[in-house]
Amino acid sequence: MRLRFFGSSLVSSYWNGAATYYRGLLKALAAHGVDVVFYEPDAYQRQQHRDIADPAWARVVVYPATAEGWRRALDEAGRDADLLVKASGVGVFDRELEIAVPSAVRPGAACVYWDVDAPATLDAVAANPNDHLRDAIPRYDLVFTYGGGEPVVDAYTALGARACVPIYNAVDPDTHHPVAPRDEWRCDLGFLGNRLPDREARVEDFFLGAAARLPARSFLLGGAGWEDKPMAANVRRLGHVGSADHNAFFCSSLATLNINRASMARYGFSPPTRVFEAAGAGACLITDRWEGIDQFLEPEREILVADSGAEVAALLDGLDAATARRIGVAGHARVLAEHTYAHRARTVLDRLGIPARPSLGQEAAE
């Protein structure tokens, strides 16, 4: 199968939280013989902040972030695609691409809308009776989402989607795994996430609020956009942390905090990539509460759950190294057994009616 995929970026995680999702999933699909070409715009300085070279398992086409650029790229992709994918959040000319992709599919081929932020997308559509996706979604053969569960499936069905299938985030054990701690990053609690409007208030509560309650404990904040944010003296800011450094970030703290953005928490069943990356590195995870957590990791045994910054502080204050290690080991075992991109690729292939390579299909099932 020739897969032609339009997304934000495969080669750069700079202001691009979907990078590791794309990499893990498309690499796993390529292992089954899928021919992958990834189209990404030259935008947001991502090409200047690459954190991987073009991978052996995909061809990367970087097109100009112009009207002519996306049209030429789509014409090229549509000529030989068996499956043409438009992901949400490309960042430039999203509306134009989402309208144009179904018309660019050659006879006998299919097109998929792949929503990597379904809660935010659906909230935007609900707030705008004239949103272009109301007309575009019924023209796609299938909608994949990287989270949301039944609430997202129902919402997309109501928009006229022919089918909607969640393909959840996962871990690639080749890239996210336990490593030695980095001394300069050692801390009691780490949080990795860019500063975004529907995340900031929750970060203020769950992370910065916990830091203010525990002035004797150390906190490490990774991610872009936090430079001018007031915070307690016991919080260190790293700025953007490239994907090659994620393992060291997760392995250098007593615990790692996950904070879902407000829309994701509201819909539930939307574990971000950081949950599986951190668990894949063997980190002890503390997360804000959202419906569906127990579908992925078992609370209190494989992950700790808090309802507020005060509860994060209480959990951290009562956490010792042995307990943190035990939770990290259990979470690591769970994601390797059930939540790798090999498992997710099998779901994609099954839904598309494409047979897996037998040995790889068996690996994904184990």
Side-chain angles (χ1 to χ4, degrees):
M1 183 182 74
R2 293 182 293 268
L3 170 61
R4 306 298 180 250
F5 196 110
F6 282 79
S8 50
S9 179
L10 189 68
V11 298
S12 176
S13 62
Y14 187 67
W15 285 105
N16 179 32
T20 52
Y21 178 76
Y22 292 147
R23 293 169 189 174
L25 190 57
L26 296 178
K27 174 186 170 186
L29 289 172
H32 287 281
V34 175
D35 176 49
V36 179
V37 181
F38 192 96
Y39 290 85
E40 59 181 79
D42 187 359
Y44 302 107
Q45 296 186 313
R46 287 178 180 141
Q47 299 309 311
Q48 290 73 45
H49 291 84
R50 282 183 170 226
D51 46 19
I52 65 168
D54 288 9
W57 40 265
R59 181 166 68 91
V60 178
V61 176
V62 180
Y63 60 88
T66 63
E68 182 180 7
W70 75 260
R71 288 192 183 100
R72 287 188 175 182
L74 183 58
D75 286 346
E76 175 188 303
R79 279 196 292 270
D80 70 344
D82 297 313
L83 181 66
L84 185 59
V85 172
K86 165 61 177 70
S88 66
V90 167
V92 290
F93 296 103
D94 276 292
R95 180 181 185 278
E96 291 81 358
L97 276 165
E98 284 154 5
I99 292 170
V101 161
S103 299
V105 178
R106 64 189 181 87
C111 63
V112 165
Y113 182 65
W114 206 311
D115 197 341
V116 296
D117 194 358
T121 300
L122 292 167
D123 281 353
V125 173
N128 181 7
N130 299 313
D131 193 289
H132 67 283
L133 286 177
R134 293 180 181 275
D135 293 325
I137 289 301
R139 300 172 59 218
Y140 284 83
D141 295 289
L142 179 62
V143 173
F144 283 136
T145 71
Y146 89 166
E150 189 174 338
V152 161
V153 172
D154 290 345
Y156 263 112
T157 301
L159 280 178
R162 302 176 194 180
C164 176
V165 180
I167 306 296
Y168 294 105
N169 286 306
V171 66
D172 178 355
D174 292 337
T175 59
H176 287 84
H177 47 76
V179 300
R182 191 173 294 182
D183 286 340
E184 66 271 26
W185 286 0
R186 287 187 183 274
C187 63
D188 292 304
L189 187 67
F191 172 70
L192 183 58
N194 294 330
R195 187 179 183 180
L196 296 171
D198 73 337
R199 173 184 284 151
E200 186 165 357
R202 296 172 68 80
V203 172
E204 289 174 353
D205 180 7
F206 284 86
F207 184 71
L208 300 180
R213 287 178 169 85
L214 298 174
R217 308 299 284 266
S218 57
F219 293 74
L220 190 64
L221 175 61
W226 299 106
E227 296 79 11
D228 62 348
K229 178 75 174 176
M231 53 190 69
N234 59 337
V235 179
R236 288 179 292 149
R237 285 173 272 219
L238 292 179
H240 172 67
V241 179
S243 59
D245 292 320
H246 285 184
N247 291 326
F249 184 93
F250 297 132
C251 292
S252 299
S253 59
L254 177 66
T256 292
L257 182 64
N258 170 67
I259 306 171
N260 273 18
R261 298 195 342 263
S263 56
M264 294 174 71
R266 186 167 60 255
Y267 276 83
F269 299 92
S270 298
T273 54
R274 298 292 181 261
V275 165
F276 299 106
E277 292 172 5
C284 173
L285 268 164
I286 301 175
T287 184
D288 61 324
R289 189 180 301 278
W290 37 273
E291 187 178 359
I293 294 171
D294 55 355
Q295 179 175 314
F296 305 98
L297 292 167
E298 182 181 337
E300 298 187 19
R301 195 178 79 84
E302 297 166 342
I303 192 170
L304 298 174
V305 182
D307 287 295
S308 65
E311 289 193 10
V312 171
L315 286 170
L316 186 63
D317 203 33
L319 188 65
D320 58 56
T323 302
R325 191 178 308 112
R326 184 170 65 250
I327 293 169
V329 168
H332 182 247
R334 176 71 178 275
V335 297
L336 291 185
E338 298 182 15
H339 302 303
T340 70
Y341 283 112
H343 294 93
R344 305 300 189 242
R346 177 66 269 176
T347 302
V348 172
L349 294 172
D350 283 348
R351 188 60 187 81
L352 295 173
I354 298 169
R357 289 182 174 177
S359 61
L360 293 170
Q362 182 63 29
E363 288 176 9
E366 292 176 349

